[in-house]
Amino acid sequence: MDDNKMILCASSKYEEKYYLNPAFDKLPDAIKDELKAMCVLFTEDIGGILTLEYDEDGHLSFVTMADENDLLYDEIGCALKIKQYQQTKRELMESLELFYRVFIKGETLDEE
């Protein structure tokens, strides 16, 4: 992981595990549940590993990877599913970016 990035959560089809960064324990349970469902369903449908990562500016992005020999990983479906999430979960993503900037980075709202 790049030193300037922070992982919010991750899901792996290979290990059948989900991870939520403990720094985000203060998120409401409903948001944590939605993130878990979104990530786990993604890796169940597409395969591989999905991480949601913040860059140094606080923008949240979907990062996927797959084992080189994973013939079941759906690269086309991956791009389509990410695009779908970016559209249907836009409000959630924007809220998570705001949460990160305020509660993790310590920015104030009037800086915008």
Side-chain angles (χ1 to χ4, degrees), residues 7 16 20 22 28 31 34 54 58 68 73 86 89-90 111:
I7 292 177
E16 296 184 353
L20 176 68
I31 300 295
E34 187 171 356
Y54 292 98
E68 196 174 296
Y73 180 72
Q86 287 171 333
K89 305 289 186 183
R90 188 181 74 199
E111 287 182 14

Side-chain angles (χ1 to χ4, degrees), residues 35-86:
L35 284 170
K36 182 176 184 178
M38 184 176 72
C39 291
V40 170
L41 287 173
F42 182 95
T43 53
E44 280 297 312
D45 289 347
I46 305 302
I49 298 169
L50 171 69
T51 59
L52 272 63
E53 297 179 1
Y54 292 98
D55 65 17
E56 60 191 25
D57 296 323
H59 296 110
L60 192 58
S61 60
F62 294 85
V63 179
T64 63
M65 58 196 94
D67 286 343
E68 196 174 296
N69 299 323
D70 186 354
L71 301 176
L72 299 177
Y73 180 72
D74 184 359
E75 287 185 51
I76 295 171
C78 175
L80 294 173
K81 186 69 119 180
I82 288 173
K83 188 172 186 169
Q84 175 192 2
Y85 280 168
Q86 287 171 333

